[in-house]
Amino acid sequence: RGALAGAALSLSATAALAGGLDRSGQDIGIIWEDGNYAEVSVGFVMPDIGGEDADGDSVGSVVNDYVVPSLKLRYQVNQQFAIGLIYDNPYAADVSYPENGSNYAGLEASASSHGLTAIGQFRFNEAVSAHAGLRLQTLDSEVKLNGEAYQVPGTGGGFGTAASVYS
């Protein structure tokens, strides 16, 4: 049973990575802009990722559409010092195998995060500066292992796990 659970978790991790877990890159480039600066970004992604299971059954499209928002603000305090504030959703995944008869039908993995970065820059001269900051980030995730590949022997049902991580 331990080997089956390990294989199931490995598969769901692979499925989450196939959907793209890192969505923002956690860019801090705003700190090198000139003067006061604001940037709002909203991306909408419609991926189409599918394939076949080990038995050759089509799994259909397994990744759902998603939105990638970010808000970046920079304030030039004086000639030498600037501060920045960045909000984003750096990590996320939304993978679900459709109920189509595949061995993985009903498998679902989701993750969502929120990040808030405060960053400061001190400019020594035109060529040299230093920056430092703090980042608060949350990550929630859930995995549901359903379908024939995840049947618990003798029960006729699947099993699932859920986890929340705060960092």
Side-chain angles (χ1 to χ4, degrees):
R1 287 185 188 181
L4 176 61
L9 291 175
S10 296
L11 176 63
S12 36
T14 301
L17 289 174
L21 197 58
D22 183 359
R23 294 196 174 162
S24 77
Q26 301 187 49
D27 180 28
I28 60 166
I30 189 172
I31 202 68
W32 289 280
E33 295 291 338
D34 290 326
N36 297 332
Y37 184 85
E39 180 179 312
V40 176
S41 173
V42 178
F44 183 70
V45 182
M46 298 179 296
D48 186 13
I49 299 174
E52 296 178 351
D53 66 14
D55 294 334
D57 295 324
S58 173
V59 296
S61 183
V62 298
V63 181
N64 298 314
D65 300 347
Y66 59 91
V67 175
V68 183
S70 73
L71 171 64
K72 300 176 182 182
L73 303 171
R74 181 186 191 275
Y75 179 69
Q76 188 72 44
V77 177
N78 59 38
Q79 288 293 95
Q80 290 184 296
F81 188 65
I83 56 175
L85 189 63
I86 302 167
Y87 169 79
D88 60 0
N89 296 128
Y91 302 106
D94 191 6
V95 178
S96 59
Y97 284 75
E99 299 286 343
N100 64 354
S102 160
N103 286 337
Y104 304 113
L107 169 73
E108 295 179 19
S110 64
S112 64
S113 66
H114 298 278
L116 186 61
T117 303
I119 189 166
Q121 177 192 41
F122 184 81
R123 188 173 286 189
F124 296 99
N125 59 42
E126 288 298 318
V128 178
S129 68
H131 66 276
L134 299 172
R135 180 157 181 87
L136 173 66
Q137 187 166 297
T138 64
L139 175 67
D140 294 311
S141 64
E142 184 174 357
V143 176
K144 293 180 182 174
L145 305 175
N146 298 314
E148 286 181 37
Y150 307 106
Q151 293 295 317
V152 177
T155 67
F159 58 96
T161 62
S164 292
V165 178
Y166 298 96
S167 59

